[in-house]
């Protein structure tokens, strides 16, 4: 966790009071050594439920690599990533949730093929960011529709001031965030300690 | 390679004569154990240039996990994935290529931030599919613009009959495909031997 926080401070860029740019190691360029450490840390956080995890859920695109490295620490369970576009090859039924992007001010949809999420499956959500929580809430919605159980959500960076974590916790989701940003002010990043 | 081919035969689904659906282990649900083997196999194929690889390039979304697992076998070099949408946080200059999707019959663009691809950097392209080659050719175009060098392209499944491999090789790109599909006929998948 300290490695991650130091990396955010060193390479992250605060834009205004809302945006934290970490594209040099997390969501455009990817540091796989760091991702491996992140996977190990999620295992530690969710060690009490590790035996129960049937599947890891995430959302394309930047969630995929974190989720895949995390899966290795949970017995290499399958990773299912929700898609943002309807692929030409997604011909069967799928679960669907609407997601609002606050940064882009657009609505979009995420989809998971019904084949890959079944009633009774116990899932861990893994994602790189938790901001307003729309994407994660979309996954929670899809899981409920499928009758799957969410064991928890593992987040690399939670921006606490955008309330996504609060919303998830209100829905009874256990949230484990590796770095929690309390506020961004004058280009400085303040972590919750 | 045999493991991969058997998996394609067992879990892949041929749709018409053009589409091969492998979403149960490659591009919607992800089998990380298989991805680890794929990464090791790419290392074997590109062992002669392994010391020279500065960076791995791929395209979101389904290329990311393969590229990330492959990076581990090349000294954990950074993975840069080209983005299909312009992110709100991509404020600086970026390299850009137009890409046509044959399945969706739409044009789109891929982008890489200029910060993450520099002149002289030697790159390996890693992607899950090579069909018409539009995405890979887009990366080659971007690399040329950046003055970066492409050491080769590692592809999990090449659909030879859609000529993407031919186009890349014509441009002087060394292509290493783990499974080469010659044709799809009556729901049957024929591999090149």
């Amino acid at each position: 966790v300290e490695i991650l926080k130091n990396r955010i401070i060193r390479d992250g860029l605060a834009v205004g009071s809302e945006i934290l740019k970490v594209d040099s190691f997390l969501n455009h360029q990817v540091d796989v050594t760091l991702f491996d450490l992140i996977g190990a840390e999620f295992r530690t956080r969710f060690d009490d439920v590790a035996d129960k995890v049937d599947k890891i859920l995430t959302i394309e695109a930047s969630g995929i690599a974190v989720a895949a490295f995390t899966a290795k620490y949970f017995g290499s369970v399958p990773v299912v990533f929700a898609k943002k576009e309807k692929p030409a090859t997604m011909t069967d039924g799928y679960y669907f949730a609407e997601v609002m992007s606050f940064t882009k001010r657009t609505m979009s949809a995420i989809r998971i093929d019904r084949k890959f999420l079944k009633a009774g499956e116990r899932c861990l959500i893994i994602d790189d960011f938790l901001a307003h929580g729309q994407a994660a809430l979309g996954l929670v919605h899809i899981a409920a529709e499928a009758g799957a159980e969410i064991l928890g959500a593992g987040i690399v960076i939670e921006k606490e001031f955008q309330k996504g974590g609060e919303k998830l916790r209100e829905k009874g989701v256990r949230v484990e965030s590796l770095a929690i940003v309390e506020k961004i002010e004058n280009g400085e990043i303040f972590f919750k300690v």
Side-chain angles (χ1 to χ4, degrees), chain A:
Chain A
V1 174
E2 288 312 309
I3 296 170
L4 173 66
K5 284 185 185 169
N6 289 335
R7 191 65 179 271
I8 295 169
I9 291 166
R10 197 187 76 189
D11 294 335
L13 184 67
V15 183
S17 59
E18 299 277 321
I19 291 174
L20 175 59
K21 255 183 91 152
V22 285
D23 56 359
S24 68
F25 59 96
L26 194 64
N27 50 19
H28 186 8
Q29 181 166 257
V30 168
D31 177 343
V32 296
T33 305
L34 180 69
F35 276 37
D36 207 43
L37 293 171
I38 287 171
E41 180 65 21
F42 280 136
R43 167 69 201 219
T44 305
R45 298 286 184 106
F46 288 108
D47 199 51
D48 55 314
V49 294
D51 292 345
K52 294 185 192 159
V53 177
D54 295 314
K55 208 157 256 187
I56 289 182
L57 302 182
T58 189
I59 295 180
E60 67 177 18
S62 46
I64 297 174
V66 187
F69 275 80
T70 303
K72 287 200 311 152
Y73 290 94
F74 288 87
S76 294
V77 292
V79 173
V80 175
F81 58 91
K83 300 203 169 213
K84 288 177 181 168
E85 291 178 58
K86 184 165 181 274
T89 54
M90 199 187 265
T91 45
D92 314 321
Y94 48 79
Y95 298 110
F96 175 96
E98 291 219 300
V99 170
M100 179 166 146
S101 164
F102 281 80
T103 24
K104 294 178 198 155
R105 311 222 159 264
T106 52
M107 291 295 295
S108 60
I110 58 169
R111 292 174 177 82
I112 290 183
D113 195 304
R114 283 178 177 267
K115 286 199 301 289
F116 303 133
L117 194 58
K118 301 284 185 192
E121 281 187 321
R122 292 162 300 184
C123 306
L124 213 54
I125 293 173
I126 297 290
D127 210 354
D128 55 341
F129 259 103
L130 179 62
H132 297 279
Q134 294 293 305
L137 288 165
L139 285 180
V140 170
H141 176 83
I142 283 176
E145 229 190 304
E149 186 189 341
I150 299 293
L151 296 169
I155 305 293
V156 182
I157 303 175
E158 176 181 346
K159 292 193 284 181
E160 195 185 36
F161 56 94
Q162 290 172 331
K163 310 279 185 199
E166 202 176 302
K167 284 179 218 154
L168 278 177
R169 290 179 184 103
E170 269 168 18
K171 284 198 173 277
V173 177
R174 169 180 169 190
V175 182
E176 297 281 351
S177 301
L178 304 190
I180 301 180
V181 177
E182 245 174 15
K183 61 176 178 177
I184 300 173
E185 230 173 54
N186 303 322
E188 208 179 329
I189 301 153
F190 295 86
F191 291 105
K192 187 170 181 171
V193 277

